[in-house]
Amino acid sequence: MLKMIGACMILLSTTTFGFRQARAYAERPRQIRQMRGALSLMRTEISFGSRRLDQICEQIGHREKEPVRSLYARCAHYLREMDGVSAFECWKRAVEETWPATELKQSEKEVITDFGKTLGISDREDQLAHLARTQTHLEVEEGRAREEQERYEKMCKSLGILGGALIVILIY
């Protein structure tokens, strides 16, 4: 009886691990799409609005879901609270703090951080051009993320289950 409980625990833990890994592959394209949507909101605000950057970030933070919500909310907070610091420093700090909560990879982090370098230092048209370029880069990354999802999501689920079964067979 104790062996059966142990075998079930092993199988359950490896299956859970496999499904968590698969969820990470499924979550990454969604988060990239969400980031692109937030950048579209920012693009619209810059094009037609006349609000300050901290207000724009705060509004996007209220509209979006996690983890993008935290990124924009923290950036807005830093823009208001850290007097004399550049918009890039506020953006970079927000990215560094919120990145561990995402499923995004280093390539997306570089694109988002590079976008922050141009934030608030140029005219409206230049800002819009940088936003468009950033969205294009994220679109490419989203395509790659979808390919990885298609390639590895089912495999992770299967390996979790089959790996657990193999361990149980080898132990008993």
Side-chain angles (χ1 to χ4, degrees), residues 78-91 93:
Y78 294 142
L79 286 167
R80 281 190 308 273
E81 300 298 321
M82 297 174 69
D83 194 31
V85 176
S86 69
F88 171 65
E89 288 300 320
C90 295
W91 180 260
R93 188 170 179 182

Side-chain angles (χ1 to χ4, degrees), residues 46-62:
I46 290 173
S47 294
F48 303 111
S50 59
R51 291 192 280 177
R52 295 186 328 255
L53 186 57
D54 65 322
Q55 294 171 332
I56 293 171
C57 288
E58 186 174 25
Q59 181 196 11
I60 293 171
H62 287 302

